[in-house]
Amino acid sequence: MDVLTAARLQMEVSLGFHMFFAALGIGMPLLMLIAEWRWLRTGREHYRDLAKTWGKATALTFAVGAVSGTALAFELGLLWPSFMALAGGVIGPAFALEGYAFFIEAIFLGLYLYGWDRLSPRAHWWTGVPVAVSGMMSGVLVLAANAWMQAPGGFELAADGTLAGSDPLAPFRSPAWLHMALHSTLSCYIATGFAVAGVYAAGMLRGRRNAYHRAALGIALAVGGVTAVLQPLSGDWSAREVAKYQPAKLAAAEAHFETSSHVPLMIGGIPDEDGNVRFALHIPNALSIMVGRSPETVITGLNDFPRDERPPVAITHIAFQIMVAAGFAMIFVALWFGWARWRRRPEDRVLLAMVLAASPLGFIALQAGWIVSEVGRQPWVIYGIMRTSDGVTPQAGVPATLFGFTVLYLFLGVALVALLRGLTHYSGPTATEEDAHAA
């Protein structure tokens, strides 16, 4: 295995695992806050129990995410020294601010965990607010670095290609930052909400139909469902921005090869690099209308780019289709659950089974979306500025570190799953009829 392939694979493994931890670290504090807020409003103890359980889950994901994030920081310097030599001075402020958010989260998470029965109930709830806000801001701030890689600007290069100067706010001025931050943050809430809902749906299918499980299922699906319904609006914004600043990525995601207007939206399909797409359905004019609000909108095709500057079309397109399909499946389940709850029939076994089946879809969509984002940027590590092959380390031995980091992340993943499983054993008090309606 050559150095470039090993380095890319190591980053893929590391980022793939870290995204699980990071998404839970962003989503779990919000669930925790909602549960405690419901306890403050109703006085029902099962909400307090939920807040305590989800607070422990937040602490676990925070700790594991800190380890995996630290490993990623080392990998950037070790595997991509040429990239960091050029980009480090530009994206450094984004990582520094993310570090501040990390420490704020750590401080207030400690206050939250140890403040039960030591602070007044309302003061205790307020200690959780910075945990949720700073957890979310950590993701938003670090995404500025990736956004700059997608749409770079605010820097000057010397004659020898080194960094001559940069705007301290360059990452935050990237036109990709805001839409990427919104889309990614919503994805974290969706993934967490549906994953947690699946845990409690499984418990209810096993007969644990008490107020504790009903409340957990309702809160988790409220968060996951509302954000899933909002996500297509964010996706529409992202698609229009990508069409403007990264037309090759949009063309690869849509398997669109010939520049034209009246471009259909493709559903499904397996493309090859020569422009052939099999097994696809087409919605006439839809892609042009989505991008430019008119069927006359011209969409740039992949054939306008040299072959060595095109993203891998099959991977990008199939990942994009998986992301969209998973998103709409979750919207369907969320709307079904909302209708059943309005009809006071949220415990239907078929519906619970559907919630359980949909529980991994948020993380599948999250991973697929990042494949679209990162593979769709290739062959550039800094879009239009530096190729990925030019940023990698010249040193041998990367396959060995690939093995070591893969073992590390597998260990972290297994440890986190085992610890989180221990938090699901609480069955809750037996619900009364009043509890059942109140949950």
Side-chain angles (χ1 to χ4, degrees):
M1 184 183 297
D2 63 86
V3 170
L4 177 60
T5 301
R8 293 179 67 177
L9 186 57
Q10 182 171 327
M11 290 300 295
E12 289 161 6
V13 170
S14 301
L15 284 169
F17 272 98
H18 182 68
M19 274 186 277
F20 281 103
F21 311 143
L24 290 170
I26 290 172
M28 287 306 304
L30 180 59
L31 299 183
M32 172 188 83
L33 275 182
I34 294 173
E36 188 174 1
W37 175 75
R38 290 293 295 156
W39 171 60
L40 293 174
R41 290 291 303 274
T42 67
R44 297 184 180 276
E45 286 299 313
H46 59 270
Y47 286 119
R48 188 175 191 267
D49 294 338
L50 266 179
K52 284 190 170 184
T53 298
W54 288 346
K56 294 174 184 176
T58 297
L60 290 173
T61 55
F62 177 83
V64 175
V67 175
S68 64
T70 302
L72 271 170
F74 280 111
E75 288 177 285
L76 282 174
L78 293 173
L79 298 179
W80 310 98
S82 298
F83 161 73
M84 289 301 294
L86 175 60
V90 182
I91 63 177
F95 284 108
L97 290 174
E98 190 270 341
Y100 280 112
F102 173 86
F103 286 119
I104 291 171
E105 184 179 5
I107 291 167
F108 281 93
L109 182 57
L111 290 173
Y112 186 88
L113 292 175
Y114 293 100
W116 287 104
D117 303 320
R118 294 176 175 85
L119 299 172
S120 70
R122 290 192 179 277
H124 182 266
W125 183 84
W126 278 107
T127 64
V129 172
V131 178
V133 173
S134 57
M136 180 267 291
M137 287 304 300
S138 290
V140 168
L141 291 167
V142 80
L143 265 171
N146 188 273
W148 180 84
M149 294 161 64
Q150 307 283 346
F155 66 99
E156 296 178 2
L157 295 180
D160 60 357
T162 59
L163 183 68
S166 65
D167 178 356
L169 298 178
F172 308 105
R173 298 187 193 278
S174 169
W177 180 46
L178 290 180
H179 74 81
M180 285 186 66
L182 176 61
H183 201 67
S184 179
T185 302
L186 289 175
S187 296
C188 292
Y189 291 135
I190 294 167
T192 301
F194 273 86
V196 172
V199 171
Y200 292 96
M204 293 179 72
L205 286 169
R206 295 191 185 101
R208 299 175 182 175
R209 303 196 174 198
N210 48 49
Y212 180 85
H213 280 74
R214 289 188 186 97
L217 182 65
I219 293 172
L221 272 182
V223 171
V226 169
T227 48
V229 171
L230 293 174
Q231 187 69 300
L233 301 176
S234 168
D236 176 71
W237 181 22
S238 291
R240 286 185 282 115
E241 292 298 308
V242 169
K244 188 185 303 181
Y245 296 102
Q246 293 179 289
K249 178 188 289 187
L250 179 69
E254 299 290 351
H256 175 60
F257 285 84
E258 296 294 336
T259 299
S260 61
S261 62
H262 299 273
V263 180
L265 181 67
M266 193 176 300
I267 300 176
I270 302 176
D272 60 31
E273 300 296 331
D274 296 321
N276 304 306
V277 184
R278 297 174 294 165
F279 314 119
L281 299 175
H282 297 82
I283 302 176
N285 301 323
L287 184 59
S288 288
I289 292 172
M290 288 175 61
V291 171
R293 301 300 187 254
S294 167
E296 303 294 333
T297 303
V298 175
I299 307 296
T300 305
L302 282 173
N303 288 340
D304 281 18
F305 300 90
R307 280 190 173 263
D308 66 345
E309 293 184 9
R310 297 182 190 175
V313 63
I315 296 174
T316 307
H317 176 72
I318 292 172
F320 180 73
Q321 295 293 314
I322 290 172
M323 178 187 69
V324 172
F328 278 102
M330 288 185 289
I331 290 173
F332 170 75
V333 172
L335 293 176
W336 185 4
F337 181 83
W339 178 81
R341 188 152 181 129
W342 178 67
R343 295 287 303 274
R344 297 187 180 275
R345 296 176 182 174
E347 297 182 26
D348 179 79
R349 290 191 65 84
V350 175
L351 174 56
L352 291 174
M354 288 295 293
V355 172
L356 179 59
S359 61
L361 291 181
F363 281 107
I364 290 173
L366 179 64
Q367 296 285 353
W370 274 105
I371 290 172
V372 174
S373 181
E374 299 305 290
V375 175
R377 189 182 67 232
Q378 299 306 313
W380 307 100
V381 63
I382 305 173
Y383 191 74
I385 304 296
M386 175 183 280
R387 289 177 178 265
T388 305
S389 56
D390 295 331
V392 74
T393 178
Q395 302 298 321
V398 176
T401 66
L402 166 61
F403 175 79
F405 274 89
T406 301
V407 171
L408 168 66
Y409 281 106
L410 286 173
F411 171 76
L412 290 174
V414 170
L416 181 62
V417 170
L419 291 169
L420 290 178
R421 278 179 60 87
L423 298 178
T424 67
H425 292 161
Y426 175 75
S427 60
T430 302
T432 64
E433 287 297 318
E434 182 183 6
D435 290 334
H437 291 299

